[in-house]
Amino acid sequence: MAASFIPDFRLMWYLEELRRKEFVKFKELIRQEAWNRGLPPITGSEIRNVKRQGFAGLLKERYGEQQAWDLALSIFPKLNRKDLCEKAARESAIHAYRAHVKEKFSRLWCRESFTEVQGCFDQTITQEEGASLEDYFTPRAARKPHTVVLHGVPRIGKTRLLTKLMLAWSDGRLYRDRFSFVFYFCCRELKQLTATSLVGLISRERPDCIPITEIVAQPERLLFIIDSFEELCCTLSEPESELCSDWREERPVKTVLGSLLRRKILPEAALLLAVMPERPPGLQNILEHPNMQVLTGFQQSHRKQYFCCLFEDRGQALEAFSLVRDNEQLFTMCRVPLLCWMVGTCLKQELERGRDLAATCCRISSVFLSYVFNLFTPKDAHCPSQQDRDQLKALCSLAAEGMWTDTWVFGEEELGRNGIADADIPTLLDLKVFRKYSESVRAYSFIHMCLQEFYAAMFYLLDSPGGHPSPAVGCTEALLLTFLKKEKSSWVFVGSFLMGLLRESEQQKLDALFGSQRSRAVEPQLRGYLRSLTEQEDFLQQMEFPLLFYGLFEMQSDAFASQVMRGLRGVHLPIRENADLAVSAYCLKYCSNLREVCFQVSNVFEEERGLEPMISDLCVSGEIRILFEVLTSNPNLRNLTLTCTNLSHKDELVLCSTLTHPVCHIEQLLNSSFSSEGCRVLSFVLLRNNKLKVLDLSGNELEEGMPALCEALGHPDCTLQHLIKLCVNVGNFILWGHLCLAGLQPLSVPC
């Protein structure tokens, strides 16, 4: 019990539990025990008429909080108060564990927080974060016990938030009266185990002085946090007969955690699962009433605050932030705290070297290359030393192997094969190229997957990329083919980085980095290869058009884009983020022979609040209108499809205005969704546009707009030939009948 600590207010609670005679005896026994231990004595006059609160204060003042509690704890058995002894034992165990948690997670924070900026987002949980975390486990109706799933992209800050949670709980600032014990399981560490039990997992996370029976006695007061669950590659789809219900039974880690998550072990306990999106697939349908939460990283205000703390000069901070804000893709990346640190650090170094920030911020590949260049090039030099070049080439080789083998954590074998020696590791850790993967294993990863992708892209601009020691590493053409077909879901930027590095301004930096001009030989090779791909119909059926478009946007070469895009006849463009709009608009202007385009505009995260996203329809911003410019800039375009796209009324006006433009030759408008007000505007289009032949109003349930639309459709000047899937309510059915008598050919039965 010596390790335990309960403040004087807690001692006061125990004294209040004593009956009057017990309290009198307690005071006398305390005097005797203090004398036996050689402590400063308490006189009879001091305790004669003192009340409970006064006596607790006297003990604290005379002996200190810890020693006062130790004295009190030794007296409870002599009063035959077994209940107080047991309660004190539980309190002491909980406190001992809280102290253990605080020490452990303070170390973890220091190890992981190399991107911290003084005075900005420290380990103290914010009021906003605390409120959200408390709300996670607020009972909703009768749905108890509670399972929370916190998902977010890699390095968005899941582990960071969970570390703050554990520290806040250890200090009593979070879940104070909700959970007696909170256990954190990191699957990155646990996957090294073979067989274990839930008792075994708990024992790894608690001081030896806490009896396990005491922990599981109240399972409803337990919270299990399972971080990085995707590391186990667990599907949670095992038959129930393969799960276990005994918390003492040893089974594979996947089985134990699967049994916990599927409520076979300690079903009353609360669970918090942190995982990447859609890993494993269908997770929401497997778990019992999960509370799904999205972690979206830094809000706009956070990103601005971070820049202001990172730069010593506020004016420079706001200038850098403004340039980043203007680049939608770069600004979106800065939602990830680590990438926000990397971008801010890069721009700060660029300023110190007297470089133009606007040129650096123009594309994400420019920022990443500047960051790497500054990392390996001394401030007063124009290029790296030969030793630094060799180290950089080894990193590029390692990154490329990891991309092709789906490896993000590297051990001694992978490091050695690619030319990275043990002596290099401390330097790479100091440079913040690597981060230690775990405390128990000698393994390392790049500080972020995006940086691994960037190093891998640079590998293909080295002198001899074909000579890789791993046979799994493909050639440049294989890289582009795999990327554009998205055969590897983990590849996000590598193809865009490769194409972005072919810009003349980036080639000059690459020449300085590697001491060669290999990149200039790659550009015509890739241009010819991409042009041949875009002329193959079977490939186009498999290609992810946004990936190609982002690559061309990064490269910003009119000649290159024109040659690659001129063979395209049709494209399908899902619009998920604001950055997709500018990228699509840039590339579509080079599709000179385009005849069909399909836009699919989804709801996106326009801005976040706290830990939960505020969902906002991208179309409401009106920026989708830049996509409609393709209708007037390309005279060959005949078909426009708007899949899952809800237009704002302003966007409806822009689209209708574009459809009546003299150089717009759209003949088929498919899957379009118009409001009642939009249908009134559309009725004018039908009277003025003699080129539109097929109109698809799938899913429209029109009321007020129906009469105006029917009037236009029945007008002699309307040349529309087919109307598809118009939902007609009973009140407008007579109007629809008149249209059929007028000769309009519906391609499907009306609702």
Side-chain angles (χ1 to χ4, degrees):
M1 290 301 174
S4 67
F5 163 72
I6 296 183
D8 60 317
F9 75 85
R10 181 62 70 180
L11 175 58
M12 178 61 200
W13 183 92
Y14 277 82
L15 296 184
E16 291 287 353
E17 290 294 301
L18 297 176
R19 291 180 283 273
R20 188 179 66 82
K21 289 185 178 180
E22 288 175 332
F23 178 59
V24 172
K25 187 175 182 181
F26 178 85
K27 290 189 291 184
E28 288 296 331
L29 291 173
I30 281 282
R31 288 185 62 203
Q32 295 175 17
E33 185 64 23
W35 175 266
N36 294 336
R37 297 187 183 190
L39 298 176
I42 298 176
T43 65
S45 60
E46 287 179 300
I47 67 171
R48 186 170 297 120
N49 296 315
V50 70
K51 304 297 183 183
R52 289 170 172 79
Q53 183 175 356
F55 190 58
L58 174 63
L59 291 176
K60 177 187 174 183
E61 180 183 350
R62 187 69 50 90
Y63 304 123
E65 293 175 335
Q66 180 63 58
Q67 203 163 48
W69 174 251
D70 288 342
L71 279 171
L73 200 59
S74 68
I75 304 303
F76 294 146
K78 298 177 182 180
L79 298 175
N80 295 320
R81 289 300 301 266
K82 183 179 179 182
D83 59 328
L84 296 184
C85 294
E86 292 176 348
K87 180 174 177 60
R90 286 195 298 271
E91 293 273 3
S92 299
I94 292 172
H95 176 75
Y97 179 62
R98 287 180 187 269
H100 164 77
V101 166
K102 186 171 184 177
E103 179 184 0
K104 174 182 177 178
F105 284 89
S106 293
R107 290 199 314 268
L108 179 62
W109 182 272
C110 292
R111 192 188 83 188
E112 295 288 333
S113 62
F114 61 83
T115 62
E116 294 306 307
V117 180
Q118 187 174 3
C120 184
F121 308 116
D122 60 16
Q123 67 190 55
T124 304
I125 202 163
T126 66
Q127 183 177 358
E128 188 178 34
E129 289 169 334
S132 295
L133 289 169
E134 289 281 5
D135 186 60
Y136 284 179
F137 293 99
T138 299
R140 289 172 172 80
R143 292 183 175 180
K144 292 179 68 178
H146 213 44
T147 301
V148 176
V149 178
L150 179 66
H151 61 87
V153 298
R155 305 296 290 172
I156 195 70
K158 297 186 294 295
T159 299
R160 173 194 178 95
L161 178 65
L162 297 179
T163 300
K164 295 176 78 171
L165 183 161
M166 296 298 292
L167 288 169
W169 175 79
S170 72
D171 285 341
R173 288 177 286 116
L174 187 68
Y175 304 139
R176 183 183 186 91
D177 300 317
R178 179 72 174 83
F179 300 118
S180 299
F181 292 94
V182 180
F183 295 104
Y184 173 88
F185 300 151
C186 178
C187 295
R188 188 181 304 134
E189 303 276 350
L190 298 185
K191 71 178 183 179
Q192 312 298 329
L193 302 177
T194 51
T196 187
S197 63
L198 185 59
V199 173
L201 295 180
I202 291 175
S203 299
R204 289 167 53 91
E205 300 299 324
R206 66 177 180 88
D208 295 335
C209 62
I210 306 177
I212 193 70
T213 53
E214 202 57 59
I215 293 173
V216 299
Q218 293 181 296
E220 71 279 2
R221 293 189 58 81
L222 300 180
L223 169 60
F224 291 98
I225 297 176
I226 304 174
D227 192 9
S228 306
F229 185 66
E230 66 278 351
E231 294 274 356
L232 289 181
C233 301
C234 182
T235 63
L236 294 176
S237 58
E238 303 88 350
E240 290 199 9
S241 59
E242 296 182 10
L243 301 177
C244 60
S245 57
D246 188 343
W247 45 273
R248 294 159 296 191
E249 182 180 356
E250 290 200 354
R251 301 286 289 275
V253 174
K254 291 182 183 180
T255 304
V256 173
L257 293 183
S259 301
L260 185 65
L261 289 169
R262 291 172 63 183
R263 301 292 178 185
K264 300 303 175 185
I265 307 178
L266 301 182
E268 301 87 357
L271 306 173
L272 174 53
L273 180 67
V275 69
M276 288 169 55
E278 299 302 320
R279 301 278 293 274
L283 181 64
Q284 187 169 359
N285 297 324
I286 297 172
L287 301 177
E288 180 181 325
H289 304 305
N291 178 5
M292 308 297 290
Q293 297 289 334
V294 179
L295 186 60
T296 55
F298 280 169
Q299 303 172 43
Q300 177 171 335
S301 59
H302 291 157
R303 285 168 265 183
K304 185 176 182 179
Q305 181 184 354
Y306 197 89
F307 269 68
C308 289
C309 291
L310 188 62
F311 287 77
E312 296 176 1
D313 185 295
R314 181 173 175 82
Q316 291 180 345
L318 294 178
E319 176 192 359
F321 178 78
S322 177
L323 290 170
V324 172
R325 182 67 185 88
D326 291 341
N327 184 324
E328 195 69 51
Q329 189 180 16
L330 189 61
F331 190 62
T332 298
M333 293 182 85
C334 285
R335 289 189 306 198
V336 179
L338 190 145
L339 293 181
C340 190
W341 167 84
M342 189 212 79
V343 171
T345 299
C346 170
L347 297 184
K348 184 179 180 182
Q349 292 172 344
E350 290 289 275
L351 273 177
E352 293 170 350
R353 297 178 185 230
R355 299 198 180 111
D356 180 17
L357 292 191
T360 304
C361 289
C362 63
R363 300 290 171 263
I364 61 170
S365 50
S366 302
V367 175
F368 275 70
L369 182 56
S370 296
Y371 175 76
V372 172
F373 186 89
N374 295 336
L375 209 59
F376 287 90
T377 306
K379 189 174 181 179
D380 56 350
H382 298 290
C383 63
S385 66
Q386 188 57 51
Q387 180 180 355
D388 288 337
R389 277 179 178 161
D390 292 342
Q391 197 171 67
L392 179 57
K393 289 180 179 180
L395 285 170
C396 294
S397 177
L398 179 71
E401 177 179 328
M403 296 299 294
W404 283 101
T405 59
D406 294 319
T407 303
W408 308 98
V409 180
F410 305 98
E412 295 180 8
E413 181 179 350
E414 294 88 358
L415 296 170
R417 181 166 54 244
N418 289 281
I420 298 176
D422 288 345
D424 297 325
I425 298 300
T427 301
L428 295 175
L429 290 172
D430 289 341
L431 287 174
K432 299 180 177 60
V433 174
F434 278 173
R435 59 188 289 266
K436 203 170 187 308
Y437 179 66
S438 71
E439 293 183 349
S440 59
V441 179
R442 283 177 55 82
Y444 307 89
S445 65
F446 288 89
I447 62 171
H448 194 277
M449 291 180 178
C450 287
L451 277 161
Q452 179 173 335
E453 289 193 78
F454 186 76
Y455 283 106
M458 286 199 299
F459 170 78
Y460 286 89
L461 301 175
L462 297 175
D463 295 331
S464 54
H468 198 284
S470 171
V473 176
C475 62
T476 307
E477 290 84 354
L479 175 85
L480 275 180
L481 185 65
T482 303
F483 176 72
L484 294 176
K485 292 169 67 174
K486 204 164 180 59
E487 293 181 346
K488 288 183 173 288
S489 59
S490 57
W491 291 18
V492 181
F493 297 107
V494 62
S496 297
F497 282 147
L498 176 61
M499 296 173 70
L501 289 172
L502 296 178
R503 297 179 68 211
E504 179 59 33
S505 58
E506 314 312 325
Q507 289 180 16
Q508 293 175 10
K509 280 189 178 179
L510 287 170
D511 293 345
L513 267 178
F514 296 119
S516 68
Q517 294 190 351
R518 158 72 182 169
S519 58
R520 285 163 174 76
V522 175
E523 194 267 351
Q525 172 189 353
L526 290 188
R527 181 172 54 195
Y529 182 65
L530 285 173
R531 180 179 175 183
S532 67
L533 285 179
T534 55
E535 293 174 349
Q536 300 175 23
E537 194 61 34
D538 58 338
F539 169 76
L540 294 177
Q541 297 296 322
Q542 305 173 62
M543 184 178 72
E544 294 281 340
F545 284 99
L547 296 179
L548 174 62
F549 280 25
Y550 267 98
L552 295 173
F553 188 72
E554 279 292 304
M555 193 174 182
Q556 288 286 303
S557 168
D558 294 349
F560 192 100
S562 295
Q563 289 197 31
V564 169
M565 304 294 284
R566 68 187 183 191
L568 289 178
R569 299 292 186 271
V571 297
H572 175 263
L573 293 173
I575 308 295
R576 301 185 181 94
E577 296 181 343
N578 287 329
D580 297 340
L581 292 168
V583 170
S584 298
Y586 168 80
C587 293
L588 285 172
K589 66 184 181 183
Y590 296 108
C591 301
S592 54
N593 294 306
L594 192 66
R595 294 186 61 84
E596 182 175 352
V597 62
C598 174
F599 296 130
Q600 181 178 351
V601 184
S602 306
N603 287 342
V604 297
F605 300 150
E606 191 170 74
E607 188 49 67
E608 311 85 17
R609 290 182 190 167
L611 303 178
E612 298 184 36
M614 178 179 68
I615 306 300
S616 174
D617 196 331
L618 180 144
C619 303
V620 174
S621 68
E623 293 184 16
I624 195 175
R625 66 189 63 194
I626 66 176
L627 295 181
F628 296 152
E629 293 177 2
V630 71
L631 306 183
T632 57
S633 62
N634 191 330
N636 296 314
L637 196 60
R638 295 293 184 270
N639 299 340
L640 172 63
T641 302
L642 300 172
T643 302
C644 301
T645 301
N646 295 318
L647 301 176
S648 69
H649 184 53
K650 290 182 178 180
D651 293 325
E652 291 174 337
L653 292 174
V654 174
L655 174 58
C656 290
S657 175
T658 306
L659 290 171
T660 58
H661 196 283
V663 297
C664 177
H665 299 287
I666 292 295
E667 296 176 355
Q668 296 189 32
L669 179 59
L670 305 178
N671 284 9
S672 53
S673 178
F674 282 86
S675 65
S676 294
E677 292 180 346
C679 283
R680 293 192 185 98
V681 181
L682 184 61
S683 64
F684 291 104
V685 175
L686 298 177
L687 298 178
R688 297 178 184 178
N689 184 335
N690 59 4
K691 300 166 187 173
L692 189 64
K693 304 302 180 186
V694 178
L695 176 62
D696 179 359
L697 295 173
S698 301
N700 281 264
E701 296 182 3
L702 305 178
E703 295 181 3
E704 296 179 3
M706 186 66 183
L709 184 62
C710 289
E711 182 179 353
L713 290 169
H715 196 280
D717 293 339
C718 178
T719 59
L720 191 73
Q721 295 177 0
H722 302 290
L723 185 63
I724 306 175
K725 295 181 181 177
L726 177 65
C727 292
V728 182
N729 61 22
V730 175
N732 290 315
F733 199 80
I734 296 177
L735 292 172
W736 176 258
H738 287 305
L739 292 180
C740 294
L741 293 174
L744 186 69
Q745 302 175 36
L747 297 186
S748 62
V749 178
C751 301

